[in-house]
Amino acid sequence: MLTNFNISGGFFLKPNIIEKINTLKKQKKAVILAHCYQPVEIDEVADYVGDSLSLSQIASKTDAEIIIFAGVYFMAQTAKLLSPNKKVLLPQIEAGCRMADMLSYRQLLEFKSKHPSIPLVCYVNSTAEVKAECDICCTSSNAVQIVKSLGVSKVSFVPDTYLGKWVEKQLGNVEVITYPGFCPTHLQIRPVDIENARKKYPDAVILAHPECHMSVSSIADYVGSTTGIMKYVKDSKKKSFVIATEQGVVDRLKRDYPNKNIIPIKNNIVCPNMKMTSLDDILYVLETEENEIFVKKDIAQKAVKCLDAMLEVSK
Ligand code: 13P
Ligand code: SF4
């Protein structure tokens, strides 16, 4: 049962809010999508919990009338691009992605002009304006497949330099020119953390997200998206796993596999923006329908092509 600590020092039960959200969700034909980095209690009301790719695929197919995206801004915006006739609500309108914020439209145009005549791939962690100028989108789980599908020997890639360089290493025969963006949360993980974990837990498998620095991902045992990491733990016969990504993945794995030993690579690998969402915020947007996401028509028309191109490859 979910509990929360109240001001008077006792515990009160949360089922009330969960029940309210679930009732209202049915009445309003709403669907709640939650990213794996969200606070774990959000799963109590979520219809789907997953990585950026799986949630985009669901957003593009849902017949719900309202999509509540428990995640960060670019995720809700992506859902709006893929489901333009649906009402998309972001529980915390201030929750942005610090990596996406590193690449403005002007910076994108400047980068693009330096690398003409080669396909421009954008990570989904980007604004609609950026997507509108790119040829194809990707997420962390399909980036290798997407770049490979282009069948060229050189691409440019924005905004995550480490995901781009990781793709280059996986493919071996494609040069990936990257924009110098990064995820501040994943960059807190250093190679020495992996080395220490290996010494301390010699039997553990070390799993990392491709947003980590290359010096980290190149020495991990497995590199994959949040869902990829969770699936690896689910399917593995091993007992111990060191998780080199955001705390939300650690919390869900601990909850789902109490008999496995789930070890965070270090404390406080937390995306502050992902952790802004609360159950109260979800109830609030469900009740008021505030925090609706809109995208200008001309930008949306171009940006959706970039997403559709990805979904076509990743069917
Ligand atoms: P996923 O593609 O694994 O969902 O990751 C998205 C993200 O923002 C990771 O920082
Ligand atoms: Fe953006 Fe990093 Fe947070 Fe993912 S973890 S949403 S890339 S800031």
Short mmCIF file of all heavy atoms in Angstrom, two decimals, residues 239-265:
data_model
loop_
_atom_site.label_atom_id
_atom_site.label_comp_id
_atom_site.label_asym_id
_atom_site.label_seq_id
_atom_site.Cartn_x
_atom_site.Cartn_y
_atom_site.Cartn_z
N LYS A 239 22.27 -12.86 -10.76
CA LYS A 239 21.62 -12.39 -9.52
C LYS A 239 21.82 -10.90 -9.25
O LYS A 239 20.95 -10.22 -8.71
CB LYS A 239 22.24 -13.13 -8.33
CG LYS A 239 21.63 -14.37 -7.77
CD LYS A 239 20.33 -14.46 -7.26
CE LYS A 239 19.73 -14.67 -5.97
NZ LYS A 239 18.36 -14.31 -6.03
N SER A 240 23.01 -10.39 -9.64
CA SER A 240 23.36 -9.01 -9.25
C SER A 240 23.58 -8.11 -10.46
O SER A 240 24.22 -8.52 -11.44
CB SER A 240 24.66 -9.02 -8.44
OG SER A 240 24.46 -9.68 -7.25
N PHE A 241 23.07 -6.90 -10.34
CA PHE A 241 23.13 -5.95 -11.46
C PHE A 241 23.49 -4.56 -10.94
O PHE A 241 22.85 -4.08 -10.00
CB PHE A 241 21.78 -5.89 -12.18
CG PHE A 241 21.32 -7.25 -12.64
CD1 PHE A 241 20.57 -8.06 -11.79
CD2 PHE A 241 21.66 -7.73 -13.90
CE1 PHE A 241 20.17 -9.33 -12.19
CE2 PHE A 241 21.26 -8.99 -14.30
CZ PHE A 241 20.52 -9.80 -13.45
N VAL A 242 24.48 -3.95 -11.57
CA VAL A 242 24.82 -2.57 -11.23
C VAL A 242 24.19 -1.69 -12.32
O VAL A 242 24.41 -1.93 -13.52
CB VAL A 242 26.36 -2.36 -11.18
CG1 VAL A 242 26.69 -0.89 -11.01
CG2 VAL A 242 26.96 -3.19 -10.05
N ILE A 243 23.41 -0.71 -11.90
CA ILE A 243 22.63 0.09 -12.86
C ILE A 243 23.23 1.48 -13.01
O ILE A 243 23.21 2.29 -12.08
CB ILE A 243 21.15 0.20 -12.37
CG1 ILE A 243 20.56 -1.19 -12.06
CG2 ILE A 243 20.29 0.94 -13.39
CD1 ILE A 243 20.56 -2.17 -13.22
N ALA A 244 23.73 1.75 -14.23
CA ALA A 244 24.35 3.06 -14.50
C ALA A 244 23.38 3.90 -15.33
O ALA A 244 23.61 4.16 -16.52
CB ALA A 244 25.69 2.88 -15.19
N THR A 245 22.31 4.29 -14.70
CA THR A 245 21.37 5.25 -15.29
C THR A 245 20.55 5.86 -14.16
O THR A 245 20.89 5.69 -12.98
CB THR A 245 20.49 4.61 -16.39
OG1 THR A 245 19.77 5.65 -17.06
CG2 THR A 245 19.49 3.60 -15.86
N GLU A 246 19.48 6.54 -14.51
CA GLU A 246 18.73 7.32 -13.54
C GLU A 246 18.07 6.42 -12.48
O GLU A 246 17.69 5.28 -12.75
CB GLU A 246 17.67 8.14 -14.30
CG GLU A 246 17.34 9.48 -13.68
CD GLU A 246 16.17 9.44 -12.74
OE1 GLU A 246 15.51 8.39 -12.63
OE2 GLU A 246 15.91 10.46 -12.08
N GLN A 247 17.90 7.00 -11.30
CA GLN A 247 17.38 6.28 -10.13
C GLN A 247 16.02 5.60 -10.37
O GLN A 247 15.72 4.56 -9.77
CB GLN A 247 17.28 7.29 -8.96
CG GLN A 247 16.85 6.71 -7.64
CD GLN A 247 17.84 5.71 -7.05
OE1 GLN A 247 19.05 5.82 -7.26
NE2 GLN A 247 17.33 4.70 -6.34
N GLY A 248 15.19 6.19 -11.24
CA GLY A 248 13.87 5.60 -11.49
C GLY A 248 13.95 4.16 -11.97
O GLY A 248 13.10 3.31 -11.62
N VAL A 249 14.97 3.86 -12.74
CA VAL A 249 15.15 2.48 -13.24
C VAL A 249 15.52 1.57 -12.07
O VAL A 249 14.99 0.45 -11.93
CB VAL A 249 16.20 2.45 -14.37
CG1 VAL A 249 16.54 1.02 -14.77
CG2 VAL A 249 15.70 3.23 -15.59
N VAL A 250 16.39 2.07 -11.20
CA VAL A 250 16.80 1.30 -10.01
C VAL A 250 15.56 1.01 -9.15
O VAL A 250 15.32 -0.13 -8.74
CB VAL A 250 17.85 2.10 -9.19
CG1 VAL A 250 18.19 1.39 -7.90
CG2 VAL A 250 19.09 2.36 -10.02
N ASP A 251 14.75 2.03 -8.90
CA ASP A 251 13.57 1.86 -8.03
C ASP A 251 12.59 0.84 -8.60
O ASP A 251 12.05 0.01 -7.87
CB ASP A 251 12.85 3.21 -7.87
CG ASP A 251 13.70 4.23 -7.13
OD1 ASP A 251 14.66 3.83 -6.44
OD2 ASP A 251 13.43 5.44 -7.27
N ARG A 252 12.39 0.89 -9.91
CA ARG A 252 11.43 -0.05 -10.52
C ARG A 252 11.99 -1.48 -10.50
O ARG A 252 11.25 -2.43 -10.26
CB ARG A 252 11.10 0.39 -11.95
CG ARG A 252 10.11 1.56 -11.93
CD ARG A 252 9.90 2.23 -13.26
NE ARG A 252 8.88 3.26 -13.11
CZ ARG A 252 9.10 4.49 -12.61
NH1 ARG A 252 10.32 4.85 -12.21
NH2 ARG A 252 8.11 5.35 -12.48
N LEU A 253 13.29 -1.61 -10.76
CA LEU A 253 13.88 -2.95 -10.75
C LEU A 253 13.83 -3.55 -9.33
O LEU A 253 13.52 -4.72 -9.16
CB LEU A 253 15.33 -2.89 -11.25
CG LEU A 253 15.47 -2.65 -12.76
CD1 LEU A 253 16.94 -2.41 -13.13
CD2 LEU A 253 14.92 -3.83 -13.56
N LYS A 254 14.08 -2.73 -8.33
CA LYS A 254 14.03 -3.22 -6.94
C LYS A 254 12.61 -3.66 -6.60
O LYS A 254 12.40 -4.68 -5.95
CB LYS A 254 14.46 -2.12 -5.97
CG LYS A 254 15.97 -1.96 -5.91
CD LYS A 254 16.36 -1.06 -4.76
CE LYS A 254 17.86 -1.11 -4.58
NZ LYS A 254 18.38 -0.14 -3.67
N ARG A 255 11.66 -2.89 -7.04
CA ARG A 255 10.25 -3.23 -6.77
C ARG A 255 9.86 -4.52 -7.51
O ARG A 255 9.22 -5.39 -6.93
CB ARG A 255 9.36 -2.07 -7.26
CG ARG A 255 7.86 -2.32 -7.12
CD ARG A 255 7.07 -1.37 -8.00
NE ARG A 255 7.37 -1.56 -9.41
CZ ARG A 255 7.02 -0.71 -10.38
NH1 ARG A 255 6.39 0.40 -10.07
NH2 ARG A 255 7.33 -0.98 -11.64
N ASP A 256 10.28 -4.64 -8.77
CA ASP A 256 9.82 -5.76 -9.60
C ASP A 256 10.59 -7.05 -9.35
O ASP A 256 10.05 -8.13 -9.60
CB ASP A 256 9.93 -5.39 -11.09
CG ASP A 256 9.00 -4.24 -11.45
OD1 ASP A 256 8.10 -3.94 -10.65
OD2 ASP A 256 9.17 -3.63 -12.54
N TYR A 257 11.83 -6.95 -8.91
CA TYR A 257 12.65 -8.17 -8.72
C TYR A 257 13.26 -8.19 -7.33
O TYR A 257 14.48 -8.04 -7.16
CB TYR A 257 13.74 -8.25 -9.81
CG TYR A 257 13.13 -8.11 -11.19
CD1 TYR A 257 13.26 -6.93 -11.92
CD2 TYR A 257 12.37 -9.14 -11.73
CE1 TYR A 257 12.65 -6.78 -13.15
CE2 TYR A 257 11.75 -9.00 -12.96
CZ TYR A 257 11.90 -7.81 -13.66
OH TYR A 257 11.29 -7.66 -14.87
N PRO A 258 12.41 -8.37 -6.32
CA PRO A 258 12.93 -8.32 -4.95
C PRO A 258 13.97 -9.39 -4.65
O PRO A 258 14.75 -9.25 -3.71
CB PRO A 258 11.67 -8.50 -4.08
CG PRO A 258 10.62 -9.03 -5.00
CD PRO A 258 10.96 -8.60 -6.38
N ASN A 259 14.01 -10.46 -5.47
CA ASN A 259 15.01 -11.50 -5.22
C ASN A 259 16.32 -11.28 -5.95
O ASN A 259 17.25 -12.08 -5.83
CB ASN A 259 14.45 -12.88 -5.60
CG ASN A 259 13.26 -13.21 -4.74
OD1 ASN A 259 13.21 -12.78 -3.58
ND2 ASN A 259 12.28 -13.91 -5.30
N LYS A 260 16.38 -10.21 -6.75
CA LYS A 260 17.64 -9.91 -7.42
C LYS A 260 18.33 -8.77 -6.67
O LYS A 260 17.66 -7.97 -6.00
CB LYS A 260 17.39 -9.53 -8.89
CG LYS A 260 16.78 -10.71 -9.67
CD LYS A 260 16.78 -10.50 -11.18
CE LYS A 260 16.21 -11.76 -11.83
NZ LYS A 260 16.31 -11.78 -13.28
N ASN A 261 19.63 -8.70 -6.84
CA ASN A 261 20.40 -7.67 -6.15
C ASN A 261 20.61 -6.50 -7.12
O ASN A 261 21.42 -6.59 -8.04
CB ASN A 261 21.73 -8.32 -5.72
CG ASN A 261 22.53 -7.42 -4.81
OD1 ASN A 261 21.99 -6.46 -4.25
ND2 ASN A 261 23.82 -7.72 -4.68
N ILE A 262 19.87 -5.43 -6.90
CA ILE A 262 19.92 -4.27 -7.80
C ILE A 262 20.74 -3.17 -7.11
O ILE A 262 20.33 -2.68 -6.06
CB ILE A 262 18.50 -3.76 -8.12
CG1 ILE A 262 17.57 -4.90 -8.61
CG2 ILE A 262 18.52 -2.58 -9.09
CD1 ILE A 262 17.96 -5.54 -9.91
N ILE A 263 21.85 -2.80 -7.75
CA ILE A 263 22.77 -1.85 -7.11
C ILE A 263 22.90 -0.59 -7.97
O ILE A 263 23.31 -0.67 -9.13
CB ILE A 263 24.17 -2.51 -6.97
CG1 ILE A 263 24.05 -3.88 -6.27
CG2 ILE A 263 25.15 -1.59 -6.24
CD1 ILE A 263 25.10 -4.88 -6.72
N PRO A 264 22.57 0.58 -7.42
CA PRO A 264 22.79 1.81 -8.21
C PRO A 264 24.30 2.06 -8.33
O PRO A 264 25.03 1.81 -7.38
CB PRO A 264 22.13 2.91 -7.37
CG PRO A 264 22.03 2.35 -5.99
CD PRO A 264 22.03 0.85 -6.08
N ILE A 265 24.73 2.54 -9.48
CA ILE A 265 26.16 2.79 -9.69
C ILE A 265 26.70 3.77 -8.66
O ILE A 265 27.81 3.64 -8.18
CB ILE A 265 26.45 3.27 -11.15
CG1 ILE A 265 27.95 3.42 -11.41
CG2 ILE A 265 25.75 4.57 -11.49
CD1 ILE A 265 28.69 2.15 -11.54
#
